[in-house]
């Protein structure tokens, strides 16, 4: 039997976390699929961490990352470097994920070579091209070029239908991020940083969005520090993104406060287990908004809007924007009002049952 040749392209930490379960699934069906992994290396260390954890060895690595890379750098480097890989491999289909510039440029390249594209995590929308920026553009553009839409939820399916995408090419699969989460959270997990926080209410902090760099990020950190200074029974762990601009803002606002520890990015197994043991999460991340509802962990989302309304509807996520006074108020409320906290801390799984990769593989087997 002739195998279906699928190439998965990804380049950043969150894409890797959500594509590796699919790589594993396709590779486990080696009688049906020939699976090729191409990483762009848009992230380096943070991508390699994930590849190590999932034991995925790329067939191609475009190694594009450079310090302080601009959107022009990432787009042009991926587009030019992936051309030869696509031409030499000639896959039957290319899979890209979500909304990064890796995904946009890889989809554009596949489109130029007329190779059909499957969009994993299709149909998320804020309808504001500048928030998140440039991700809202990237995801809409990938959806313009795609043949198959793997929508994580009914809401994302509806978003695609609203744009007149063909109904027969939209498949609600759940989010592959939940597939990953099923394999990482363990009973009996321990870590020295968690030992340090034992006996305190533990917060987990992350921040990296391009539109929040600069003053918004300073405001976020100032609000967090003020609230924590007023609540001595709290500690925070902040595994910081490798972007030097994020590091500069964080150190300027948070250094010298010893109940908040800034540490290097955690491996995904550690991060998921830290989430499962935290009291509350403060973030502007996308993926964390999907993982937290499954774990029943309240999240204050430090953004003005979200493409993940399912978690807001489920009650686990609250949008608090990036103004210092609003974050201060909402964060304080959750610490001082037990009922408000408990109303947010119940588990639900709006993003699927952890079997999204199997569904995507089934669709590809049928369609190709
Ligand atoms: C990228 C994605 C964003 C995604 C985020 C996940 C785009 C435009 N942005 O944003 O959608 O939410 O990843 O984290 O696609 N760096 C390192 N080592 C690493 C990773 C980053 O040193 O392993 C530093 C480099 O200096 C790099 C900078 O961080 O230039 C920014 O990385 P980049 O991928 O351009 O942007 P992110 O903000 O990470
Ligand atoms: N994550 C991780 N280590 C960390 C911080 C986050 O493994 O130190 C994981 C987290 O569980 C989620 C993903 O990284 O799966 C989110 O990535 P990020 O916030 O960088 O990107 P986004 O989801 O906003 O695109």
């Amino acid at each position: 039997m002739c195998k279906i040749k699928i190439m998965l392209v990804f380049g950043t930490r969150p894409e890797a976390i959500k594509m590796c379960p699919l790589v594993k699934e396709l590779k486990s069906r080696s009688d049906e699929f020939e699976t090729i992994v191409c990483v762009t290396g848009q992230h380096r260390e943070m991508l390699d961490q994930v590849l190590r954890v999932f034991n995925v060895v790329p067939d191609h690595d475009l190694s594009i990352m450079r310090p302080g890379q601009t959107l022009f750098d990432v787009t042009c480097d991926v587009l030019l470097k992936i051309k030869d890989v696509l031409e030499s491999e000639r896959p039957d289909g290319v899979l890209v994920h979500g909304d990064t510039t890796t995904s946009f440029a890889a989809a554009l390249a596949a489109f130029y070579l007329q190779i059909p594209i499957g969009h994993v995590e299709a149909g998320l929308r804020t309808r504001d091209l500048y928030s998140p920026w440039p991700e809202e553009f990237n995801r809409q553009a990938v959806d313009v070029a795609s043949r198959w839409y793997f929508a994580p939820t009914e809401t994302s399916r509806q978003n695609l239908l609203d744009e007149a995408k063909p109904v027969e090419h939209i498949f609600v699969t759940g989010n592959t991020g939940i597939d990953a989460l099923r394999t990482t959270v363990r009973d009996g997990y321990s870590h020295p940083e968690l030992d340090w926080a034992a006996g305190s209410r533990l917060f987990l902090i992350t921040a990296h969005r391009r539109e929040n760099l600069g003053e918004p990020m300073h405001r976020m950190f100032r609000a967090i520090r003020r609230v924590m200074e007023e609540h001595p029974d709290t500690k925070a762990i902040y595994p910081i993104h490798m972007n030097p601009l994020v590091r500069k803002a964080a150190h300027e606002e948070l250094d010298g406060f010893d109940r908040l520890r800034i540490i290097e990015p955690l491996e995904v197994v550690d991060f998921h287990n830290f989430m499962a043991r935290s009291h509350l999460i403060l973030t502007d991340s996308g993926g964390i908004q999907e993982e937290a509802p499954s774990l029943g962990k309240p999240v204050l989302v430090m953004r003005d809007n979200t493409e993940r309304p399912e978690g807001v509807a489920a009650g686990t996520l609250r949008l608090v924007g990036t103004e210092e006074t609003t974050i201060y108020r909402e964060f304080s409320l959750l610490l001082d009002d037990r009922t408000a906290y408990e109303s947010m801390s119940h588990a639900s799984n709006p993003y699927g049952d952890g079997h999204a990769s199997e569904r995507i593989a089934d669709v590809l087997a049928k369609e190709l």
Side-chain angles (χ1 to χ4, degrees), residues 325-336:
T325 46
T326 317
I327 298 172
Y328 173 84
R329 190 185 63 233
E330 296 289 332
F331 189 13
S332 302
L333 173 81
L334 282 190
L335 295 191
D336 299 336

Side-chain angles (χ1 to χ4, degrees), residues 71-313:
L71 298 175
F72 295 88
D73 297 327
V74 179
T75 307
C76 295
D77 289 352
V78 171
L79 192 61
L80 288 175
K81 287 192 168 181
I82 205 169
K83 175 174 172 282
D84 289 348
V85 175
L86 288 170
E87 282 178 336
S88 65
E89 294 284 3
R90 270 281 152 195
D92 300 309
V94 167
L95 298 181
V96 299
H97 182 277
D99 54 22
T100 67
T101 295
T102 278
S103 306
F104 163 63
L108 186 60
F111 172 70
Y112 284 165
L113 293 171
Q114 300 195 19
I115 301 169
I117 300 157
H119 190 191
V120 181
E121 199 179 277
L124 277 65
R125 295 290 183 266
T126 62
R127 308 275 180 216
D128 177 351
L129 282 182
Y130 285 90
S131 179
W133 176 79
E135 289 82 3
E136 180 67 11
F137 167 81
N138 287 341
R139 58 170 81 107
Q140 290 198 27
V142 172
D143 281 334
V144 168
S146 292
R147 166 144 348 152
W148 304 288
Y149 303 94
F150 301 110
T153 67
E154 206 40 63
T155 305
S156 38
R157 176 177 182 272
Q158 194 54 52
N159 288 336
L160 292 161
L161 290 174
D162 292 346
E163 293 169 13
K165 302 290 190 284
V167 65
E168 67 278 13
H169 286 168
I170 306 173
F171 307 91
V172 178
T173 59
N175 196 303
T176 54
I178 307 301
D179 300 16
L181 197 60
R182 254 181 0 117
T183 67
T184 50
V185 178
R186 294 167 196 157
D187 290 339
Y189 172 88
S190 67
H191 191 287
E193 297 293 349
L194 293 178
D195 294 342
W196 166 75
S200 298
R201 288 189 280 183
L202 171 65
F203 311 131
L204 205 50
I205 301 167
T206 80
H208 71 80
R209 299 242 77 83
R210 262 185 163 73
E211 69 273 20
N212 287 343
L213 293 173
E215 195 42 37
M217 218 166 261
H218 281 272
R219 295 196 297 262
M220 285 155 46
F221 296 143
R222 279 201 295 271
I224 292 170
R225 182 170 181 157
R226 273 176 59 203
V227 173
M228 287 188 66
E229 281 172 343
E230 291 169 10
H231 294 81
D233 67 326
T234 61
K235 285 189 175 163
I237 296 175
Y238 176 7
I240 196 165
H241 194 284
M242 294 192 77
N243 188 332
L245 297 174
V246 174
R247 291 184 170 218
K248 184 167 178 290
H251 285 296
E252 282 174 12
E253 298 294 345
L254 301 171
D255 277 358
F257 179 51
D258 64 5
R259 281 189 286 111
L260 187 155
R261 278 194 178 169
I262 297 179
I263 62 171
E264 288 305 311
L266 286 166
E267 288 204 343
V268 61
V269 172
D270 294 313
F271 192 79
H272 285 173
N273 280 284
F274 275 47
M275 282 180 82
R277 286 157 183 82
S278 65
H279 183 74
L280 180 79
I281 299 159
L282 295 121
T283 191
D284 64 6
S285 161
I288 293 170
Q289 294 180 54
E290 290 149 357
E291 295 161 348
S294 285
L295 298 169
K297 294 298 170 183
V299 182
L300 294 181
V301 182
M302 298 182 290
R303 293 173 45 178
D304 295 324
N305 59 15
T306 181
E307 57 293 277
R308 288 151 170 109
E310 301 87 349
V312 177

